[in-house]
mmCIF file of all heavy atoms in Angstrom:
data_model
loop_
_atom_site.group_PDB
_atom_site.id
_atom_site.type_symbol
_atom_site.label_atom_id
_atom_site.label_comp_id
_atom_site.label_asym_id
_atom_site.label_seq_id
_atom_site.Cartn_x
_atom_site.Cartn_y
_atom_site.Cartn_z
ATOM 1 N N GLN U 298 12.489 -4.683 -4.596
ATOM 2 C CA GLN U 298 12.866 -3.481 -5.244
ATOM 3 C C GLN U 298 12.584 -3.657 -6.796
ATOM 4 O O GLN U 298 12.147 -2.621 -7.522
ATOM 5 C CB GLN U 298 14.343 -3.262 -5.215
ATOM 6 C CG GLN U 298 14.883 -1.942 -5.637
ATOM 7 C CD GLN U 298 16.345 -1.753 -5.348
ATOM 8 O OE1 GLN U 298 17.007 -2.686 -4.850
ATOM 9 N NE2 GLN U 298 16.842 -0.712 -5.803
ATOM 10 N N ASP U 299 12.789 -4.744 -7.390
ATOM 11 C CA ASP U 299 12.589 -4.943 -8.950
ATOM 12 C C ASP U 299 11.069 -4.974 -9.159
ATOM 13 O O ASP U 299 10.669 -4.232 -10.111
ATOM 14 C CB ASP U 299 13.078 -6.317 -9.284
ATOM 15 C CG ASP U 299 14.616 -6.474 -9.336
ATOM 16 O OD1 ASP U 299 15.235 -5.364 -9.245
ATOM 17 O OD2 ASP U 299 15.119 -7.512 -9.358
ATOM 18 N N ALA U 300 10.258 -5.483 -8.194
ATOM 19 C CA ALA U 300 8.858 -5.326 -8.294
ATOM 20 C C ALA U 300 8.369 -3.995 -8.323
ATOM 21 O O ALA U 300 7.450 -3.490 -8.960
ATOM 22 C CB ALA U 300 8.110 -6.198 -7.377
ATOM 23 N N ARG U 301 8.859 -3.178 -7.278
ATOM 24 C CA ARG U 301 8.564 -1.801 -7.116
ATOM 25 C C ARG U 301 8.932 -0.909 -8.455
ATOM 26 O O ARG U 301 8.099 -0.101 -8.832
ATOM 27 C CB ARG U 301 9.237 -1.209 -5.877
ATOM 28 C CG ARG U 301 8.730 0.187 -5.599
ATOM 29 C CD ARG U 301 9.498 0.649 -4.333
ATOM 30 N NE ARG U 301 9.092 2.046 -3.992
ATOM 31 C CZ ARG U 301 8.045 2.507 -3.442
ATOM 32 N NH1 ARG U 301 7.156 1.530 -2.981
ATOM 33 N NH2 ARG U 301 7.867 3.724 -3.181
ATOM 34 N N LYS U 302 10.017 -1.163 -9.001
ATOM 35 C CA LYS U 302 10.319 -0.516 -10.165
ATOM 36 C C LYS U 302 9.411 -0.669 -11.396
ATOM 37 O O LYS U 302 9.218 0.172 -12.193
ATOM 38 C CB LYS U 302 11.851 -0.913 -10.638
ATOM 39 C CG LYS U 302 13.004 -0.346 -9.797
ATOM 40 C CD LYS U 302 14.280 -0.852 -10.345
ATOM 41 C CE LYS U 302 15.392 -0.405 -9.338
ATOM 42 N NZ LYS U 302 16.681 -0.862 -9.741
ATOM 43 N N LYS U 303 8.758 -1.865 -11.353
ATOM 44 C CA LYS U 303 7.871 -2.231 -12.447
ATOM 45 C C LYS U 303 6.417 -1.732 -12.043
ATOM 46 O O LYS U 303 5.522 -1.893 -12.777
ATOM 47 C CB LYS U 303 7.785 -3.798 -12.638
ATOM 48 C CG LYS U 303 9.014 -4.349 -13.089
ATOM 49 C CD LYS U 303 8.895 -5.821 -13.294
ATOM 50 C CE LYS U 303 10.239 -6.455 -13.671
ATOM 51 N NZ LYS U 303 10.166 -7.835 -13.745
ATOM 52 N N GLY U 304 6.348 -1.030 -10.852
ATOM 53 C CA GLY U 304 4.977 -0.526 -10.418
ATOM 54 C C GLY U 304 4.138 -1.491 -9.696
ATOM 55 O O GLY U 304 2.960 -1.327 -9.409
ATOM 56 N N GLN U 305 4.746 -2.811 -9.364
ATOM 57 C CA GLN U 305 4.029 -3.809 -8.699
ATOM 58 C C GLN U 305 4.114 -3.523 -7.207
ATOM 59 O O GLN U 305 5.168 -3.932 -6.554
ATOM 60 C CB GLN U 305 4.561 -5.120 -9.083
ATOM 61 C CG GLN U 305 4.418 -5.393 -10.600
ATOM 62 C CD GLN U 305 5.094 -6.670 -10.945
ATOM 63 O OE1 GLN U 305 5.701 -7.497 -10.162
ATOM 64 N NE2 GLN U 305 5.074 -7.134 -12.274
ATOM 65 N N VAL U 306 3.135 -3.026 -6.574
ATOM 66 C CA VAL U 306 3.045 -2.530 -5.243
ATOM 67 C C VAL U 306 1.693 -3.014 -4.605
ATOM 68 O O VAL U 306 0.705 -3.131 -5.367
ATOM 69 C CB VAL U 306 3.383 -1.178 -4.894
ATOM 70 C CG1 VAL U 306 4.789 -0.773 -5.286
ATOM 71 C CG2 VAL U 306 2.476 -0.338 -5.727
ATOM 72 N N ALA U 307 1.670 -3.159 -3.271
ATOM 73 C CA ALA U 307 0.413 -3.556 -2.658
ATOM 74 C C ALA U 307 -0.360 -2.244 -2.345
ATOM 75 O O ALA U 307 0.039 -1.319 -1.544
ATOM 76 C CB ALA U 307 0.801 -4.184 -1.332
ATOM 77 N N LYS U 308 -1.514 -2.052 -2.992
ATOM 78 C CA LYS U 308 -2.255 -0.886 -2.780
ATOM 79 C C LYS U 308 -3.735 -1.247 -3.160
ATOM 80 O O LYS U 308 -4.124 -2.205 -3.879
ATOM 81 C CB LYS U 308 -1.781 0.161 -3.778
ATOM 82 C CG LYS U 308 -1.970 -0.074 -5.280
ATOM 83 C CD LYS U 308 -1.620 1.022 -6.086
ATOM 84 C CE LYS U 308 -1.653 0.702 -7.666
ATOM 85 N NZ LYS U 308 -1.199 1.881 -8.459
ATOM 86 N N SER U 309 -4.703 -0.513 -2.426
ATOM 87 C CA SER U 309 -5.988 -0.745 -2.620
ATOM 88 C C SER U 309 -6.563 0.610 -3.441
ATOM 89 O O SER U 309 -6.329 1.626 -3.177
ATOM 90 C CB SER U 309 -6.797 -0.721 -1.283
ATOM 91 O OG SER U 309 -8.064 -0.762 -1.389
ATOM 92 N N MET U 310 -7.278 0.201 -4.441
ATOM 93 C CA MET U 310 -7.917 1.280 -5.235
ATOM 94 C C MET U 310 -9.067 1.942 -4.557
ATOM 95 O O MET U 310 -9.734 2.944 -4.964
ATOM 96 C CB MET U 310 -8.436 0.757 -6.658
ATOM 97 C CG MET U 310 -7.298 0.151 -7.483
ATOM 98 S SD MET U 310 -5.848 1.375 -7.771
ATOM 99 C CE MET U 310 -6.713 2.541 -8.809
ATOM 100 N N GLU U 311 -9.658 1.102 -3.526
ATOM 101 C CA GLU U 311 -10.723 1.667 -2.905
ATOM 102 C C GLU U 311 -10.509 2.694 -1.813
ATOM 103 O O GLU U 311 -11.349 3.525 -1.525
ATOM 104 C CB GLU U 311 -11.495 0.398 -2.089
ATOM 105 C CG GLU U 311 -11.773 -0.751 -2.966
ATOM 106 C CD GLU U 311 -12.793 -0.547 -4.019
ATOM 107 O OE1 GLU U 311 -13.666 0.395 -3.675
ATOM 108 O OE2 GLU U 311 -12.792 -1.190 -5.005
ATOM 109 N N LEU U 312 -9.265 2.628 -1.233
ATOM 110 C CA LEU U 312 -8.862 3.604 -0.175
ATOM 111 C C LEU U 312 -8.955 4.977 -0.592
ATOM 112 O O LEU U 312 -9.468 5.733 0.103
ATOM 113 C CB LEU U 312 -7.627 3.127 0.388
ATOM 114 C CG LEU U 312 -7.268 3.779 1.677
ATOM 115 C CD1 LEU U 312 -8.323 3.650 2.770
ATOM 116 C CD2 LEU U 312 -5.860 3.250 2.170
ATOM 117 N N PRO U 313 -8.204 5.308 -1.757
ATOM 118 C CA PRO U 313 -8.171 6.771 -2.078
ATOM 119 C C PRO U 313 -9.651 7.314 -2.344
ATOM 120 O O PRO U 313 -10.018 8.504 -1.874
ATOM 121 C CB PRO U 313 -7.365 6.799 -3.374
ATOM 122 C CG PRO U 313 -6.553 5.507 -3.259
ATOM 123 C CD PRO U 313 -7.370 4.539 -2.563
ATOM 124 N N SER U 314 -10.504 6.604 -3.111
ATOM 125 C CA SER U 314 -11.768 7.062 -3.340
ATOM 126 C C SER U 314 -12.594 7.219 -2.125
ATOM 127 O O SER U 314 -13.445 8.114 -1.907
ATOM 128 C CB SER U 314 -12.472 6.109 -4.308
ATOM 129 O OG SER U 314 -12.535 4.813 -3.843
ATOM 130 N N ALA U 315 -12.557 6.238 -1.079
ATOM 131 C CA ALA U 315 -13.230 6.403 0.042
ATOM 132 C C ALA U 315 -12.804 7.537 1.040
ATOM 133 O O ALA U 315 -13.608 8.203 1.543
ATOM 134 C CB ALA U 315 -12.996 5.069 0.974
ATOM 135 N N LEU U 316 -11.505 7.632 0.993
ATOM 136 C CA LEU U 316 -10.967 8.825 1.768
ATOM 137 C C LEU U 316 -11.296 10.230 1.182
ATOM 138 O O LEU U 316 -11.660 11.147 1.873
ATOM 139 C CB LEU U 316 -9.466 8.747 1.912
ATOM 140 C CG LEU U 316 -8.853 7.683 3.012
ATOM 141 C CD1 LEU U 316 -7.315 7.723 2.878
ATOM 142 C CD2 LEU U 316 -9.348 8.008 4.342
ATOM 143 N N VAL U 317 -11.294 10.164 -0.208
ATOM 144 C CA VAL U 317 -11.713 11.511 -0.851
ATOM 145 C C VAL U 317 -13.088 11.722 -0.517
ATOM 146 O O VAL U 317 -13.577 12.838 -0.377
ATOM 147 C CB VAL U 317 -11.497 11.294 -2.378
ATOM 148 C CG1 VAL U 317 -12.249 12.405 -3.105
ATOM 149 C CG2 VAL U 317 -10.009 11.395 -2.634
ATOM 150 N N MET U 318 -14.011 10.709 -0.579
ATOM 151 C CA MET U 318 -15.467 10.960 -0.318
ATOM 152 C C MET U 318 -15.640 11.381 1.194
ATOM 153 O O MET U 318 -16.380 12.290 1.348
ATOM 154 C CB MET U 318 -16.300 9.590 -0.577
ATOM 155 C CG MET U 318 -17.718 9.676 -0.436
ATOM 156 S SD MET U 318 -18.459 8.131 -0.804
ATOM 157 C CE MET U 318 -20.231 8.496 -0.420
ATOM 158 N N LEU U 319 -15.061 10.661 2.084
ATOM 159 C CA LEU U 319 -15.131 11.117 3.445
ATOM 160 C C LEU U 319 -14.569 12.544 3.631
ATOM 161 O O LEU U 319 -15.273 13.217 4.389
ATOM 162 C CB LEU U 319 -14.368 10.077 4.370
ATOM 163 C CG LEU U 319 -14.378 10.361 5.842
ATOM 164 C CD1 LEU U 319 -15.852 10.220 6.367
ATOM 165 C CD2 LEU U 319 -13.582 9.329 6.512
ATOM 166 N N GLY U 320 -13.432 12.809 3.042
ATOM 167 C CA GLY U 320 -12.948 14.258 3.201
ATOM 168 C C GLY U 320 -13.773 15.272 2.666
ATOM 169 O O GLY U 320 -13.971 16.348 3.188
ATOM 170 N N GLY U 321 -14.352 14.991 1.455
ATOM 171 C CA GLY U 321 -15.253 15.899 0.827
ATOM 172 C C GLY U 321 -16.356 16.264 1.671
ATOM 173 O O GLY U 321 -16.894 17.428 1.888
ATOM 174 N N PHE U 322 -17.092 15.183 2.266
ATOM 175 C CA PHE U 322 -18.219 15.456 2.978
ATOM 176 C C PHE U 322 -17.965 16.137 4.396
ATOM 177 O O PHE U 322 -18.632 16.927 4.881
ATOM 178 C CB PHE U 322 -19.015 14.181 3.288
ATOM 179 C CG PHE U 322 -19.941 13.731 2.240
ATOM 180 C CD1 PHE U 322 -19.658 12.674 1.345
ATOM 181 C CD2 PHE U 322 -21.119 14.446 1.943
ATOM 182 C CE1 PHE U 322 -20.295 12.389 0.267
ATOM 183 C CE2 PHE U 322 -21.903 13.973 0.918
ATOM 184 C CZ PHE U 322 -21.574 13.049 0.094
ATOM 185 N N ALA U 323 -16.710 15.810 4.851
ATOM 186 C CA ALA U 323 -16.223 16.382 6.139
ATOM 187 C C ALA U 323 -15.997 17.833 5.934
ATOM 188 O O ALA U 323 -16.425 18.674 6.786
ATOM 189 C CB ALA U 323 -14.972 15.608 6.627
#
């Protein structure tokens, strides 16, 4: 919880851009 409050979470910066690209072409 403390790490989440600091913005420290498990996330991939590649996933949003890849999904946006796939959704745009779809």
Side-chain angles (χ1 to χ4, degrees):
Q298 185 178 5
D299 292 342
R301 184 177 176 83
K302 289 180 180 179
K303 297 177 182 177
Q305 299 174 1
V306 290
K308 62 180 179 179
S309 170
M310 302 303 294
E311 309 292 334
L312 190 57
S314 58
L316 283 177
V317 165
M318 183 178 178
L319 180 62
F322 278 105

